[in-house]
Amino acid sequence: MIPASFEYRRADSVEQALGWLSEDPDSTKLLAGGHSLLPLMKLRLATPGVLVDIGRVPGLSYVRDAGDHVAVGALTRHRDVEISDVARAHVPLLAHVAGQVGDPQVRHRGTIGGSIAHGDPASDLPAAVLALDGVLVIDGPRGRREVGAGDFFRGFLETALAPDEVLTEIRVRKAPRGWAFQKFNRRAQDWAIVGVAAVVNGGARVALVNMGATTVRARGTEEALAAGAGIAEAAARAPEGLEPPSDLQGSAEYRRHLATVLVRRALEEATASGG
Amino acid sequence: MSTTVADGPAAGVVGTRMRRREDPALLSGEARYVHDLVVPGALHMAVVRSPYAHARVTSVDLSGALASPGVAAAFSGAELAGEWSSPMPCAWPVTADMQAPSHLPVAVDEVCYVGDAVAAVVASSQAEAQDAAAAVAVAYEELPAAVDLEDAASDRVLAHSGLISNRAYTWELVPDADAVERAFAEAAVTVRERYVQQRLIPAAMEPRGVCVVPQPFGGEYVVYSATQIPHILRTMLGITAGVPEERIRVVAPSVGGGFGSKLDVYAEELLCLALARRLRKPVRWSEERSEAAQATIHGRGQVQEIELAADPHGRVLAVRVRLLADMGAYMQLVTPGVPLLGAFLYHGVYDVPAYAFTCTGVFTNKTPTDAYRGAGRPEATYAIERAIDAVARKIGADPQEVRRRNFIPADKFPYSSVAGLVFDSGNYEAALDAALELVGYEELREAQARRREEGATRLLGIGLSSYVEMCGLAPSRVLASLNYVAGGWEAATVRMLPTGKVQVVTGASPHGQGHVTSWSMIVADKLGVSPEDVEVLHSDTAVSPLGLDTYGSRSLSVGGTAIALAADRLIDKARLLAAHRLEVAPEDLELSAGQFSVQGSPSSAIGLGALAFEAFTAHDLPEGMEPNLEASATYDPTNFTFPFGTHVAVVEVDTETGKVDLVRYAAVDDCGNQINPLIVDGQVHGGIAQGVAQALFEEAVYDDEGNLLTTTFTDYLVPAASELPSFSLGRTVTPSPSNPMGVKGIGEAGTIAATPAVVNAVVDALSHLGVEEIAMPVTPERVWRSIGASAPGTGGGR
């Protein structure tokens, strides 16, 4: 429970953080809410030489109405997304999912940017951002770039974010109706064994939690729906092409089964809520 | 013997729901645990542990550790072997021929579980000690490991190279073998069930901690330990480390729960003592959570086979039980005896004429097991309460009706059981009736039937558990007959200070039970003072030199009785002094609210406070009377106590996902007279939560190589409030005739009752689909698979 020795630096601006990152990108980690990184460090599964704390960088905590989308600052804490009027009005899926992450301590410290950048397939927010056709805004030494959520999650704990870059904003398409989130776990505080974020307005997008090395879309389900299939038939294709993990909480076979049940429930709920 | 469903009588403070005096300090963070103690100059210890379940240690290279910053010293097991004058203690050699491998605090040439200590490092900070421990290079030659309990029992792989068999002992209780055979031969109905009691990690809120401070010049050691047993620990540390007992003072500061896991003598306690002796410096160790998962004992770990023979109406004629009990790698303090604490209770609350019990203790290459909340009795209750449901299913009867047909009738108490116990008092049907009413049993059965008819995917299940336990450990003569090396008494002293305040010294050692509150309530009523005026001293062998500590729901019925007896003796002395002062005969005095007054002339009176001052000044005492009002008592119980009750769990089972939601829970417990019903509620709440945890959530999972996979709370699922409904609690009150206060014990009852109630409920929800058994913990996947396996084509799993 004691991390390996590391150097701690507190950044006052994104530019300062980027400067420190560029000095030794491979052994420097950004610290935001700390609720993914610090447990890994305490278990010594992560041993960064330098921690750059961006938790107090001003101007990166906001939820803004930006026309066709909502922009969320990377340092916005889960609780602040959950209770944001803008999020609740325009992307209620995001607000709801933010309220399902971990436990109250996690939701009051953890940040949306931290959760997305960590790229854990068992996390809820990546699936919500994927279902909402999100765009990730990244700042780095080569300037600013935008990456679609579908291209951002590359592998287990691996994203499009380079070691010398900072995720600064998350943009999600407005979807005031026709959404649902299903989280299946054994204790309220746990990661989902399987989770489903679904948006059915304007073509269904169904994203799955913990059904592969990254958060993934249920392509089989989406194709079936596009081809006019009913919900049950489409849900049965949810695990198509996916390789979910087997662990103490559930076998791959069980996860595949859960995906069919939870996708069906999510689609029924999303449709009932105005899809 | 009276039976009511209300809280106990409330003349004085006893019987009231007084808030716990301990809680402000605990809740405000002011309570001090071992880790909080500031000890200047202390060295921090880190333990190097085996990453293999079974291996030969071929070399230990400490050079990396010794070169590490802040390191004061590092030792291999071989270098420390001379510190031990005897191996780690086991106080319960259950049979004369029990086999047990020698167990040293630090292994010398063979490690036998993942977590077995191989070296110790001390440094000026905990972080430096841990960094240095990681730099110790140990060479191992891996040996095959005995991991699975049944496989280990076959001796295919030996858990210790020095043993000829993994079987440590076989212990039998077969009063009349022929009667059992006859019953099974003639029975209209028999059931034969196999249950697995998965291993549990006790996970007390405070992990263990030790700090040993050598005293200058005297060769004395103050041992601060997060322990339940300061007194037993003192004796055992002395024996094992070769320190004269009187040179050791053990202090248990605030202790954050134990559940049996701190009822032990651990390697780290011995190591800190030996290193403090060797280095002449304070040495401390604070256990980490993941370390605790493997270095602190586990609970349960049994494979149970139970058979019931019954008549066509489900009346049980005989119970036959065969257990395999997982000892783990070594015998800890009471490891072998844990299954025996349940050996007498496999017929449960039922009037059964024939009985056979056999238990074989088996070594495996896993963390040692030992007492965990209930210790043997939850396992026994689980087996009989699951099996009685199996009988009910077989004859097509309501499980509550089958229980009723078998209960020991209320007019048969004290009841001599087939297993040789005398159950002190009970009224099992009254508790069952109260529980069924509390939960709304008939309506639930109707709702259950409706959902089944509608083809609902959320089915309802109702599970019962009627339990009795033997607690209040224990009559010393009985412990002798079970080969336990110590007695079961408890000691107390009550003294009045010059200002009329009261000091109580108890040999019980609280770690969350609320003894300070309960003890002060007992004494307050006896002496006519306010509970706030009573100081309770405990958990320090310098203050309370005599005691046998806290476990087995013993503290109130044994330790509390000792306090009541000591208070009575103090009153006897005070009466003589009062008679002297008032110039009357002692028998003419009556005591009320702390005042002695002369019968018939109440104006002639003197209070205990005034008498305490008189006794203190000793200016005018009766001839031969010693100064001060003080009395001690040591109470050895004449019998166990036998709390009982019925719990009802109501679950919803999602047949599509297998998810089980505990939606309602009713518990009617009978612990005899209650000193503080609020504390009883708390014990029942926590107990139920822990029992539900075994049923639905917790399991220490090992892989085939003997690696513990559940070393964090991400994988070891301790349920929280969000997983539990509000509990509906009720009580019946059937006082125990075995002790003067008529009390029983409530620390373990909830845990004992809850586990079978919940699993019975899940099976009940699915019984119409052919489901009869789901292994614990009842995970969603297991439920899903059992539905698919039992009823193919219903759309469930496979």
Side-chain angles (χ1 to χ4, degrees):
Chain A
M1 290 300 288
I2 298 178
S5 173
F6 61 89
E7 187 187 334
Y8 172 88
R9 297 179 194 166
R10 185 190 294 161
D12 296 322
S13 66
V14 172
E15 292 68 34
Q16 190 177 31
L18 286 172
W20 282 334
L21 268 182
S22 67
E23 289 173 17
D24 187 3
D26 291 331
S27 72
T28 304
K29 290 292 280 182
L30 293 178
L31 174 70
H35 274 62
S36 298
L37 179 59
L38 294 186
L40 292 176
M41 289 173 62
K42 286 182 172 184
L43 293 167
R44 299 202 173 186
L45 297 172
T47 53
V50 180
L51 270 196
V52 173
D53 185 352
I54 56 170
R56 300 183 204 198
V57 170
L60 285 181
S61 175
Y62 54 83
V63 181
R64 278 186 207 134
D65 185 340
D68 63 339
H69 68 271
V70 170
V72 185
L75 288 180
T76 314
R77 301 195 193 277
H78 305 317
R79 175 66 179 167
D80 293 328
V81 175
E82 181 190 354
I83 61 173
S84 152
D85 289 338
V86 171
R88 285 184 171 183
H90 301 296
V91 278
L93 170 63
L94 191 70
H96 175 77
V97 171
Q100 301 292 306
V101 175
D103 55 29
Q105 288 96 320
V106 172
R107 294 197 288 272
H108 281 84
R109 290 298 302 167
T111 65
I112 186 169
S115 175
I116 300 295
H118 189 52
D120 188 339
S123 292
D124 302 324
L125 282 163
V129 169
L130 187 59
L132 289 165
D133 203 11
V135 170
L136 293 317
V137 180
I138 296 167
D139 286 314
R142 295 165 296 283
R144 170 167 291 197
R145 62 193 183 107
E146 296 174 9
V147 179
D151 298 320
F152 184 78
F153 303 106
R154 296 268 172 90
F156 183 71
L157 304 185
E158 190 189 329
T159 69
L161 200 62
D164 59 356
E165 292 180 315
V166 180
L167 173 64
T168 49
E169 186 175 276
I170 294 92
R171 296 176 185 160
V172 287
R173 204 172 65 183
K174 286 186 177 176
R177 285 177 303 283
W179 62 274
F181 183 66
Q182 288 278 327
K183 181 172 184 173
F184 187 86
N185 55 16
R186 289 172 64 193
R187 297 180 305 179
Q189 72 197 67
D190 287 329
W191 282 283
I193 297 173
V194 174
V196 180
V199 176
V200 298
N201 266 335
R205 292 177 64 92
V206 180
L208 302 175
V209 181
N210 227 349
M211 282 294 288
T214 67
T215 186
V216 285
R217 285 170 69 178
R219 295 282 185 190
T221 295
E222 292 179 0
E223 282 169 23
L225 289 172
I231 284 177
E233 190 188 331
R237 291 182 55 189
E240 215 172 82
L242 301 181
E243 288 179 23
S246 273
D247 57 31
L248 291 177
Q249 308 312 334
S251 65
E253 182 191 11
Y254 178 56
R255 282 193 162 91
R256 282 193 198 95
H257 165 76
L258 277 181
T260 66
V261 175
L262 300 175
V263 166
R264 192 196 78 224
R265 290 179 181 177
L267 289 174
E268 285 168 354
E269 192 186 322
T271 307
S273 80
Chain B
M1 188 177 305
S2 69
T3 299
T4 70
V5 291
D7 287 343
V13 290
V14 167
T16 65
R17 304 174 71 85
M18 193 179 110
R19 289 197 182 177
R20 304 200 327 168
R21 297 177 62 196
E22 293 88 340
D23 288 343
L26 292 169
L27 295 176
S28 65
E30 289 184 13
R32 287 207 183 93
Y33 299 86
V34 171
H35 189 79
D36 300 320
L37 300 174
V38 176
V39 180
L43 294 169
H44 295 256
M45 180 178 76
V47 178
V48 179
R49 300 184 184 280
S50 169
Y52 296 108
H54 196 191
R56 213 178 307 285
V57 178
T58 55
S59 74
V60 178
D61 178 359
L62 301 165
S63 56
L66 290 167
S68 197
V71 167
F75 302 98
S76 67
E79 288 168 316
L80 291 171
E83 301 284 341
W84 323 121
S85 41
S86 72
M88 297 267 292
C90 172
W92 204 340
V94 292
T95 60
D97 61 352
M98 185 180 90
Q99 300 297 306
S102 176
H103 181 198
L104 294 180
V106 184
V108 174
D109 49 20
E110 185 177 349
V111 285
C112 295
Y113 68 98
V114 173
D116 211 351
V118 286
V121 179
V122 284
S124 47
S125 73
Q126 193 176 0
E128 286 168 321
Q130 289 182 7
D131 286 344
V136 173
V138 184
Y140 297 96
E141 184 185 307
E142 209 177 339
L143 297 169
V147 179
D148 176 74
L149 173 57
E150 288 171 295
D151 185 46
S154 77
D155 283 339
R156 187 183 62 82
V157 172
L158 290 179
H160 292 265
S161 55
L163 289 179
I164 54 163
S165 168
N166 291 330
R167 278 163 291 177
Y169 68 84
T170 293
W171 191 93
E172 291 189 332
L173 175 63
V174 188
D176 186 344
D178 293 343
V180 175
E181 291 300 327
R182 265 198 317 278
F184 275 94
E186 294 165 7
V189 178
T190 59
V191 297
R192 178 175 182 158
E193 303 286 305
R194 178 183 179 277
Y195 304 121
V196 177
Q197 294 283 333
Q198 79 272 31
R199 276 176 170 250
L200 301 176
I201 295 172
M205 200 181 290
E206 180 206 15
R208 291 187 292 122
V210 194
C211 179
V212 178
V213 184
Q215 301 301 296
F217 306 112
E220 292 178 6
Y221 303 92
V222 182
V223 178
Y224 298 95
S225 182
T227 183
Q228 299 174 222
I229 53 163
H231 300 93
I232 296 172
L233 182 62
R234 179 191 195 212
T235 304
M236 293 298 183
L237 287 178
I239 292 170
T240 309
V243 178
E245 187 178 3
E246 82 281 3
R247 299 289 175 90
I248 299 174
R249 171 185 171 197
V250 176
V251 182
S254 286
V255 176
F259 312 115
S261 72
K262 294 172 181 168
L263 189 198
D264 228 309
V265 177
Y266 282 103
E268 295 82 5
E269 290 166 323
L270 284 155
L271 266 171
C272 284
L273 177 59
L275 295 179
R277 173 173 60 189
R278 194 150 165 164
L279 302 168
R280 298 191 183 190
K281 285 191 173 166
V283 176
R284 67 190 306 166
W285 171 78
S286 293
E287 188 179 48
E288 302 205 313
R289 184 57 72 183
S290 293
E291 187 177 31
Q294 52 196 28
T296 290
I297 62 96
H298 290 176
R300 316 288 187 256
Q302 294 184 356
V303 175
Q304 309 173 298
E305 188 183 294
I306 181 169
E307 296 171 273
L308 303 187
D311 75 7
H313 307 289
R315 285 192 198 92
V316 180
L317 308 170
V319 174
R320 184 158 57 200
V321 176
R322 276 181 291 273
L323 292 190
L324 286 181
D326 188 347
M327 304 287 100
Y330 302 102
M331 296 304 190
Q332 282 278 348
L333 190 63
V334 297
T335 302
V338 169
L340 274 54
L341 289 169
F344 305 87
L345 291 177
Y346 275 84
H347 64 80
V349 285
Y350 309 119
D351 191 3
V352 173
Y355 192 77
F357 172 93
T358 304
C359 173
T360 298
V362 180
F363 289 110
T364 59
N365 292 112
K366 294 181 290 192
T367 291
T369 61
D370 209 325
Y372 175 60
R373 202 170 189 175
R377 291 149 291 163
E379 296 94 314
T381 304
Y382 184 82
I384 182 63
E385 285 305 285
R386 292 291 320 281
I388 203 81
D389 265 27
V391 171
R393 277 195 303 276
K394 202 150 190 177
I395 64 169
D398 189 314
Q400 61 93 10
E401 178 56 33
V402 174
R403 281 173 174 75
R404 228 177 264 284
R405 287 174 195 164
N406 281 289
F407 278 151
I408 298 163
D411 60 10
K412 266 187 137 176
F413 289 91
Y415 171 79
S416 295
S417 83
V418 65
L421 297 175
V422 179
F423 289 22
D424 55 355
S425 63
N427 188 341
Y428 301 154
E429 196 158 12
L432 174 70
D433 286 338
L436 295 180
E437 191 184 329
L438 192 59
V439 81
Y441 188 74
E442 290 307 321
E443 294 78 14
L444 285 167
R445 283 285 174 214
E446 286 162 19
Q448 176 185 46
R450 263 199 314 278
R451 291 205 199 182
R452 286 180 178 179
E453 282 161 21
E454 291 162 0
T457 55
R458 288 188 72 81
L459 295 172
L460 209 54
I462 307 137
L464 301 179
S465 167
S466 295
Y467 74 95
V468 62
E469 63 152 323
M470 51 184 268
C471 68
L473 307 180
S476 298
R477 282 177 298 108
V478 176
L479 292 177
S481 72
L482 293 172
N483 272 15
Y484 185 66
V485 300
W489 48 263
E490 194 50 86
T493 297
V494 177
R495 62 175 70 99
M496 291 195 79
L497 304 175
T499 57
K501 306 290 184 185
V502 182
Q503 203 170 52
V504 172
V505 183
T506 178
S509 190
H511 42 283
Q513 293 83 355
H515 292 170
V516 170
T517 302
S518 299
W519 290 190
S520 60
M521 291 169 79
I522 293 169
V523 171
D525 276 9
K526 289 272 186 195
L527 304 182
V529 297
S530 158
E532 287 74 28
D533 291 334
V534 181
E535 177 190 23
V536 179
L537 302 176
H538 60 80
S539 307
D540 179 345
T541 59
V543 173
S544 155
L546 289 175
L548 284 171
D549 309 313
T550 287
Y551 46 86
S553 302
R554 69 189 303 269
S555 291
L556 177 59
S557 64
V558 188
T561 299
I563 284 162
L565 294 176
D568 286 343
R569 285 182 188 168
L570 182 149
I571 290 166
D572 289 344
K573 179 174 180 181
R575 181 185 299 273
L576 297 178
L577 180 55
H580 173 73
R581 299 295 298 172
L582 298 173
E583 298 179 335
V584 294
E587 52 274 20
D588 292 336
L589 292 172
E590 55 189 16
L591 177 65
S592 174
Q595 289 274 117
F596 282 109
S597 56
V598 180
Q599 288 173 18
S601 73
S603 60
S604 185
I606 187 166
L608 276 169
L611 291 168
F613 191 74
E614 297 282 344
F616 166 72
T617 63
H619 293 172
D620 180 15
L621 298 180
E623 192 63 32
M625 180 178 278
E626 294 177 3
N628 288 316
L629 285 186
E630 174 185 295
S632 295
T634 302
Y635 177 67
D636 196 348
T638 55
N639 191 3
F640 297 95
T641 60
F642 294 83
F644 62 90
T646 290
H647 288 206
V648 189
V650 184
V651 299
E652 277 187 352
V653 180
D654 181 335
T655 57
E656 291 185 310
T657 63
K659 179 95 189 269
V660 173
D661 285 321
L662 183 61
V663 294
R664 203 184 297 181
Y665 197 99
V668 172
D669 296 283
D670 192 322
C671 55
N673 289 331
Q674 302 170 79
I675 304 303
N676 184 333
L678 186 63
I679 286 180
V680 174
D681 283 2
Q683 287 282 12
V684 173
H685 273 251
I688 292 170
Q690 243 163 338
V692 172
Q694 179 175 12
L696 297 180
F697 294 100
E698 296 183 13
E699 179 176 20
V701 181
Y702 282 87
D703 69 11
D704 293 343
E705 280 74 49
N707 296 301
L708 181 61
L709 303 179
T710 50
T711 58
T712 73
F713 286 150
T714 303
D715 294 314
Y716 190 81
L717 304 189
V718 179
S722 45
E723 282 68 59
L724 299 164
S726 287
F727 306 137
S728 306
L729 304 188
R731 226 137 279 154
T732 60
V733 177
T734 311
S736 172
S738 304
N739 59 66
M741 291 190 291
V743 297
K744 291 191 169 180
I746 197 65
E748 298 163 293
T751 310
I752 289 167
T755 309
V758 173
V759 180
N760 277 341
V762 178
V763 171
D764 180 66
L766 303 172
S767 60
H768 64 302
L769 303 176
V771 174
E772 295 187 333
E773 162 65 358
I774 306 174
M776 294 191 291
V778 177
T779 64
E781 178 162 3
R782 281 178 175 160
V783 172
W784 173 68
R785 288 186 184 279
S786 75
I787 294 170
S790 301
T794 56
R798 63 199 81 157

